[in-house]
Amino acid sequence: MLSDFLHMGGYAGYVWSSFGLTAAVLLLNLAGARRQFKQRLAFVRQRAAAEDQT
Amino acid sequence: MKKRYQRGIRVALVLAGVGIAVALMLRAFDENILYFYTPRQVVAGEAPDGRRFRLGGLVTLGSIEREPGSLKVSFLVTDNQKTLTVEYEGVLPDLFRDGQGVIAHGAMNDKGVFVADEVLAKHDENYMPPEVAEALKEVHGENES
Amino acid sequence: MWKLFHQFGSPPHFYRLAGHLIPWFGGAALVLILVATYGGLVLAPADYQQGDGFRIIYVHVPSASMSLFAYTLMAVAAGTGLIWRIKLAHAVAAAVAPIGASFTFLALATGSIWGKPMWGTWWAWDARLTSELILLFLFLGYMSLRAAYDDTGKADRASGLLAVVGVVNVPIIHYSVVWWNSLHQGATIIKLGKPAITGDMLWPLLTMLAGFGCYFATVLMIRTRSQVLQRERNSRWLMDL
């Protein structure tokens, strides 16, 4: 049964690569967005801390 | 001053790049905007003369003839107004069958036969499980694809 | 009502509100996408013509729909920024671009993979495919144009202009299969009359569309907050955060 599912009626390569590519792009997008946010937040916090000291 | 110059170059390059890409695609677009001609259009002389073009229509039921031992095949393409004969040698897509939509790329020979070097299958926007398709066939009869 | 709109256009308000909403939209996206994936890959019956190959529809169509929605949103945001000079609107447009480009890429790639076994080709220069490719180039052009300027205001205006001008491509993409003889078939869901797809195949598709929508909102809010951090990095309210 599982092998039937993975086999996708002979279209396995096409179906799984489509779903895999979609998952990869969505995850990369999310990760990239979060990384950029964290970088910029760190920069602002640094700035704020430096200001507090002056 | 130098910075402004550099920036100007960058903007110009980006716009040029986008412009060229869009222009190329619009050219392809223009040639293919009428992606195929129907049998009626071809018979009416609307298809380009002496050039390759695409013929689109439905495979007439029961018209597929294959030559045993080779990839040669001939079939009729119709739009339910006019019908043309197509000859093709090569691999056919999975969906190619009686009543299926097809788009053949090739040219008319002097015998009025369309000789194709590429045959694509075109499917409609309907999706349903086999049982539903069977039930529909019984209701509508065999004449429709 | 006007106060609401005015508040929404204020970066600190948006920043705070988005911060609260992100986990909710993110959670909803995850649930909807997982349920839709199970529905599409396991529960939905195979197609009478395309067999299990048709299941690619569950990633292809939502990606394509989102690509059109994203571009429209980007154009509206950019236009709003240009006309009413609302900085946050430009921030939203800038944030949409990479997400929209990703969905456009997915629509083209999954479409190509689907086309090979069914149509018999990885690519065709028909109206639908060509105009969707142009959409990708518009997104990339917007991002490149933005990157070419150091000054944010000039970047906003130049890229905003491109976004607004390019929006004409969106109805072209949608109606291409109606206006011209194409290889790509017509609409399955959005058409007058009943959808051309049976219920047990349809619900995972609509669920995935909702999931992609929530995902889009989530990543958009994260990216817009990033834009705000960048644009407002010298302002008082940010220092006080």
Side-chain angles (χ1 to χ4, degrees):
Chain A
M1 275 296 278
L2 179 66
S3 65
D4 281 345
F5 173 70
L6 293 173
H7 188 55
M8 281 291 157
Y11 293 106
Y14 303 102
V15 174
W16 294 118
S17 57
S18 296
F19 275 78
L21 188 59
T22 304
V25 169
L26 293 185
L27 288 170
L28 282 171
N29 236 283
L30 180 63
R34 291 176 84 193
R35 189 173 14 100
Q36 186 190 50
F37 177 78
K38 288 194 178 119
Q39 278 173 350
R40 293 185 176 176
L41 186 62
F43 177 79
V44 166
R45 289 220 166 108
Q46 247 176 24
R47 270 280 217 72
E51 252 205 20
D52 283 345
Q53 282 166 16
T54 55
Chain B
M1 195 56 193
K2 190 181 171 192
K3 201 165 181 218
R4 243 209 229 161
Y5 180 71
Q6 276 179 346
R7 198 239 298 139
I9 297 285
R10 274 187 276 162
V11 172
L13 280 176
V14 169
L15 287 177
V18 173
I20 291 173
V22 173
L24 281 176
M25 280 182 290
L26 286 177
R27 253 205 67 208
F29 200 52
D30 199 49
E31 282 172 10
N32 296 291
I33 200 82
L34 197 58
Y35 195 68
F36 58 83
Y37 295 90
T38 61
R40 185 204 64 78
Q41 285 173 310
V42 175
V43 168
E46 289 170 27
D49 219 6
R51 256 212 301 139
R52 287 173 75 228
F53 62 92
R54 288 190 183 89
L55 170 68
L58 301 171
V59 176
T60 306
L61 300 174
S63 70
I64 303 176
E65 284 171 15
R66 295 174 206 261
E67 204 186 80
S70 87
L71 286 173
K72 286 211 190 120
V73 63
S74 80
F75 53 95
L76 297 176
V77 168
T78 181
D79 54 0
N80 292 325
Q81 288 177 53
K82 295 284 182 214
T83 304
L84 289 171
T85 308
V86 175
E87 282 174 9
Y88 171 72
E89 182 171 2
V91 177
L92 289 161
D94 284 0
L95 292 184
F96 180 81
R97 64 191 71 167
D98 264 350
Q100 188 71 27
V102 283
I103 298 181
H105 201 179
M108 297 290 286
N109 70 7
D110 37 24
K111 296 197 202 74
V113 168
F114 190 86
V115 180
D117 49 65
E118 178 192 69
V119 172
L120 301 180
K122 185 181 147 114
H123 60 83
D124 61 24
E125 67 277 13
N126 299 308
Y127 297 93
M128 64 191 93
E131 319 83 71
V132 178
E134 280 302 310
L136 279 179
K137 243 203 277 192
E138 277 161 38
V139 171
H140 289 291
E142 274 282 20
N143 288 334
E144 302 189 7
S145 61
Chain C
M1 175 63 196
W2 181 248
K3 181 153 185 245
L4 190 73
F5 185 73
H6 195 256
Q7 266 191 1
F8 195 67
S10 129
H13 275 109
F14 174 84
Y15 188 87
R16 247 196 318 270
L17 181 63
H20 292 309
L21 292 176
I22 286 169
W24 291 100
F25 276 94
L30 185 63
V31 170
L32 288 168
I33 292 175
L34 288 177
V35 170
T37 304
Y38 184 75
L41 289 178
V42 178
L43 297 177
D47 181 61
Y48 78 109
Q49 258 200 15
Q50 301 187 37
D52 291 297
F54 100 100
R55 299 181 194 278
I56 299 178
I57 199 177
Y58 295 107
V59 288
H60 172 74
V61 168
S63 297
S65 303
M66 290 310 303
S67 75
L68 295 185
F69 175 73
Y71 194 91
T72 308
L73 183 64
M74 185 174 83
V76 167
T80 303
L82 287 171
I83 297 172
W84 287 292
R85 298 179 184 257
I86 301 177
K87 290 256 176 44
L88 192 60
H90 283 298
V92 169
V96 171
I99 318 174
S102 302
F103 278 123
T104 311
F105 166 76
L106 279 177
L108 291 165
T110 57
S112 173
I113 294 172
W114 194 0
K116 181 59 183 166
M118 301 307 167
W119 290 335
T121 182
W122 297 104
W123 184 257
W125 290 103
D126 85 342
R128 169 61 66 87
L129 276 68
T130 305
S131 51
E132 181 77 2
L133 183 61
I134 290 179
L135 195 74
L136 180 61
F137 276 60
L138 284 170
F139 274 120
L140 296 177
Y142 176 94
M143 290 160 68
S144 309
L145 202 52
R146 181 169 276 288
Y149 289 90
D150 288 327
D151 177 63
T152 310
K154 291 189 180 141
D156 285 344
R157 284 189 293 278
S159 55
L161 204 54
L162 179 64
V164 171
V165 165
V167 82
V168 64
N169 194 26
V170 174
I172 289 178
I173 293 171
H174 184 67
Y175 287 107
S176 55
V177 291
V178 173
W179 292 341
W180 300 294
N181 291 343
S182 330
L183 174 59
H184 194 290
Q185 71 281 6
T188 295
I189 310 177
I190 305 178
K191 55 185 278 196
L192 297 166
K194 280 162 72 326
I197 180 170
T198 63
D200 44 6
M201 290 174 160
L202 178 61
W203 76 260
L205 188 55
L206 298 177
T207 308
M208 189 66 93
L209 198 51
F212 274 29
C214 289
Y215 169 89
F216 177 79
T218 307
V219 180
L220 179 59
M221 285 191 280
I222 298 174
R223 283 203 181 266
T224 308
R225 290 178 99 211
S226 279
Q227 283 286 321
V228 167
L229 286 178
Q230 180 74 6
R231 288 160 187 260
E232 303 269 313
R233 64 190 180 277
N234 293 319
S235 61
R236 189 78 258 152
W237 73 268
L238 208 49
M239 294 289 142
D240 293 338
L241 253 187

